Amino acid sequence: MGTVGQNDKNGALRVSIRGGLVLLAVAALLSGCARPEGSDSRPQQPLKAPPAPAADLQADKTLIRAARLRAEQARIATARRWGLKRVPLTAPPAPVTKPRITTRRGFEVEGHEEKGLPPVFTTIPTEQKIVFLTLDDGAEKDPAFLRMMSDLQIPYTAFLSGYLIKDDYGYFRKMRDSGVVLNNHTLHHPYLPGLSYARQRHEICGMQDVIEKHYGERPALFRPPYGNYNEDTLRAARSCGIRYAPIWNEEVFVDHWEYREWDQKIHPGDIVLSHFRGRRDWKGTMTDMVRRFLDKVTAEGYAVARLEDYL
């Protein structure tokens, strides 16, 4: 009985296969895939999909508007949670063609451009209402600062000194992992013009080594401590792989701003300096400083952009 049953199953399978082949052949004839001999052998163009019904298009637009509204409501809620007066403005896309960066007039050393030394500048040439936030040294390691900048999606650039970050390399690793570029601010934060070329080179190249060892990449940006430098500083920096030496046009603290320009105003493309500081040095925290910074630039119509995107 087992053999007969198996034969019945095989027979049924053959019938099923033959039936399927017949159906496929009929479908091919109906679709035009099987053409009479001598007919045009070019493949038939696929049929175009019918246009979406107007109701579907309207539904898609409604979903897009709803998604945008939810995103804006989330941004408002985040700004309120961090105590901001306004939602920070969003920076425009980074330029495809980068601006030409040159040393600010009056900040050159002798033969600066001819010797190919890194440019020293306080502002990025642009007409867009953007500014760049930079933070120096690495003394304060406030977890709330990392959360705030991540929540608000505010770009910034760090310039680190070796002796101040060595007790917590992990803090700045989290910063790097969030997309922040870690740059060079020397090993020990000395007054560089008072040092020989060899000692300046040790301070700058040594910090390049530290950042590469702990964060995987040698910086292209270097900020001299206190904004002081001479030709040896820039020659040493260039020999260590530095391409740019940005300083700043304004400095923001917890309780006030300081300006380089006579008009005491922010300008398009300005680089703003602050520091990794907390209550031991300031009358507040790093989040208090960010709040003061963002409230002012937003009120004046400025967005915060990423410095490295313009270099």
Side-chain angles (χ1 to χ4, degrees):
M1 294 295 292
T3 303
V4 173
Q6 187 64 45
N7 290 337
D8 290 343
K9 290 179 182 179
N10 291 340
L13 179 61
R14 285 193 294 272
V15 170
S16 175
I17 292 172
R18 285 198 301 272
L21 292 173
V22 170
L23 290 175
L24 288 173
V26 171
L29 287 170
L30 292 176
S31 67
C33 293
R35 296 181 177 83
E37 186 177 354
S39 66
D40 187 355
S41 60
R42 291 174 297 176
Q44 188 178 17
Q45 294 297 318
L47 294 175
K48 293 183 179 179
D56 290 349
L57 293 175
Q58 186 59 41
D60 289 345
K61 291 179 181 178
T62 300
L63 289 173
I64 292 171
R65 284 196 297 268
R68 288 175 177 169
L69 178 60
R70 287 194 299 272
E72 183 59 25
Q73 289 172 339
R75 294 181 72 235
I76 293 171
T78 302
R80 286 176 177 170
R81 186 167 68 252
W82 286 106
L84 301 181
K85 296 177 181 178
R86 297 176 173 87
V87 176
L89 300 175
T90 301
V96 176
T97 302
K98 309 301 182 186
R100 182 172 179 264
I101 306 298
T102 58
T103 294
R104 177 172 171 159
R105 182 174 296 179
F107 287 62
E108 311 94 334
V109 300
E110 186 176 353
H112 198 131
E113 191 166 344
E114 293 83 353
K115 295 174 182 176
L117 300 177
V120 179
F121 52 100
T122 63
T123 302
I124 295 291
T126 180
E127 295 181 358
Q128 295 177 319
K129 294 193 73 174
I130 55 174
V131 294
F132 305 93
L133 178 62
T134 62
L135 290 100
D136 280 9
D137 64 47
E140 181 73 8
K141 302 162 185 71
D142 184 355
F145 168 77
L146 295 182
R147 292 196 301 272
M148 182 180 194
M149 302 303 271
S150 178
D151 287 353
L152 295 169
Q153 298 182 22
I154 303 299
Y156 60 101
T157 296
F159 291 89
L160 304 179
S161 292
Y163 81 109
L164 290 172
I165 69 170
K166 64 182 180 181
D167 62 336
D168 191 354
Y169 290 119
Y171 179 83
F172 300 98
R173 191 170 295 112
K174 292 176 184 176
M175 191 178 291
R176 180 214 51 195
D177 291 345
S178 71
V180 177
V181 179
L182 307 180
N183 290 295
N184 191 323
H185 200 43
T186 71
L187 287 172
H188 302 99
H189 205 275
Y191 175 72
L192 289 172
L195 304 181
S196 66
Y197 172 81
R199 290 181 65 191
Q200 291 198 53
R201 192 174 188 279
H202 170 72
E203 283 287 335
I204 301 169
C205 291
M207 192 59 198
Q208 293 287 87
D209 295 340
V210 169
I211 294 177
E212 182 179 34
K213 176 181 177 181
H214 292 281
Y215 306 113
E217 190 170 352
R218 295 178 76 81
L221 276 62
F222 159 70
R223 174 172 284 163
Y226 316 106
N228 296 129
Y229 59 93
N230 58 15
E231 181 181 337
D232 281 349
T233 309
L234 300 179
R235 285 177 51 233
R238 183 186 60 185
S239 76
C240 303
I242 295 297
R243 296 179 58 204
Y244 301 98
I247 47 178
W248 61 91
N249 223 26
E250 293 89 28
E251 183 172 0
V252 59
F253 299 83
V254 165
D255 54 354
H256 70 284
W257 283 67
E258 293 182 0
Y259 302 86
R260 189 182 297 275
E261 307 298 342
W262 64 270
D263 60 3
Q264 303 286 286
K265 292 182 180 179
I266 301 172
H267 308 88
D270 275 356
I271 299 171
V272 180
L273 164 67
S274 194
H275 288 82
F276 290 91
R277 293 288 186 271
R279 292 191 181 278
R280 289 176 297 178
D281 304 287
W282 282 348
K283 298 176 181 178
T285 65
M286 291 189 70
T287 57
D288 294 330
M289 177 276 295
V290 173
R291 194 174 300 113
R292 171 176 283 274
F293 166 75
L294 288 176
D295 281 345
K296 179 175 179 62
V297 299
T298 304
E300 296 188 15
Y302 284 87
V304 185
R306 184 175 180 266
L307 179 59
E308 289 79 6
D309 290 343
Y310 288 75
L311 301 177

